[in-house]
Amino acid sequence: MEILVIDGMGGGIGKSIIEKARAELADVRIVAVGTNSAATSAMLKAGADFGATGENAVSYNAARADYIVGVTGIVFANSMHGEISPKMAEAVSASPAHKILIPIDKCNVTVTGVASAPMQSHINEVVEKLRRI
């Protein structure tokens, strides 16, 4: 199973996802793609098997992943303060991979019907969903 984790800014959310997934899931390959080098570096330090940065890395890896994990903004062009390009959003949206998205209001997207919870609760839920799949 190949899990693609996409994050931007400082990579803190991706880092937390990777640390928890690495500790609880056996036999998974985790690919970290950052919208910038700081995000990629943080996710690699957290235990990703491979890391890459930028628009082409998102496009290439999204087409090959079994699961894509990130915040809701990774499917919206120009979200995350412009870090997600239209090409990145399209690559994630068009990917046949199963997407597991964490809702955060910072992406200017509100998903109704989703309980407001601390980030760690969302990260725990992501790893639990991956375990069940």
Side-chain angles (χ1 to χ4, degrees), residues 13 16-17 20 69-72 100-105 111 113-130 132:
I13 294 172
S16 296
I17 292 167
K20 182 143 184 83
V69 178
V71 298
T72 51
I100 302 174
L101 303 175
I102 297 173
I104 60 169
D105 291 337
V111 181
V114 176
S116 180
M119 183 56 65
Q120 191 58 48
S121 294
H122 289 300
I123 291 167
N124 293 343
E125 187 175 345
V126 165
V127 175
E128 182 56 34
K129 285 183 188 291
L130 287 168
R132 282 187 270 145

Side-chain angles (χ1 to χ4, degrees), residues 73-95:
I74 65 173
V75 296
F76 295 99
N78 302 310
S79 68
M80 297 169 58
H81 300 285
E83 288 191 90
I84 301 297
S85 71
K87 185 176 177 184
M88 289 173 167
E90 179 182 11
V92 173
S93 298
S95 171

Side-chain angles (χ1 to χ4, degrees), residues 1-75:
M1 171 167 60
E2 182 165 300
I3 302 166
L4 171 60
V5 180
I6 301 172
D7 201 4
M9 301 186 114
I13 294 172
K15 175 183 181 236
S16 296
I17 292 167
I18 291 168
E19 286 173 342
K20 182 143 184 83
R22 184 58 65 215
E24 296 189 23
L25 302 173
D27 299 324
V28 296
R29 182 170 187 253
I30 301 174
V31 176
V33 174
T35 60
N36 60 65
S37 60
T40 304
S41 178
M43 292 189 287
L44 281 168
K45 288 177 185 172
D49 296 301
F50 180 78
T53 303
E55 184 176 84
N56 192 64
V58 170
S59 296
Y60 178 83
N61 289 289
R64 289 155 179 76
D66 297 309
Y67 300 91
I68 298 175
V69 178
V71 298
T72 51
I74 65 173
V75 296

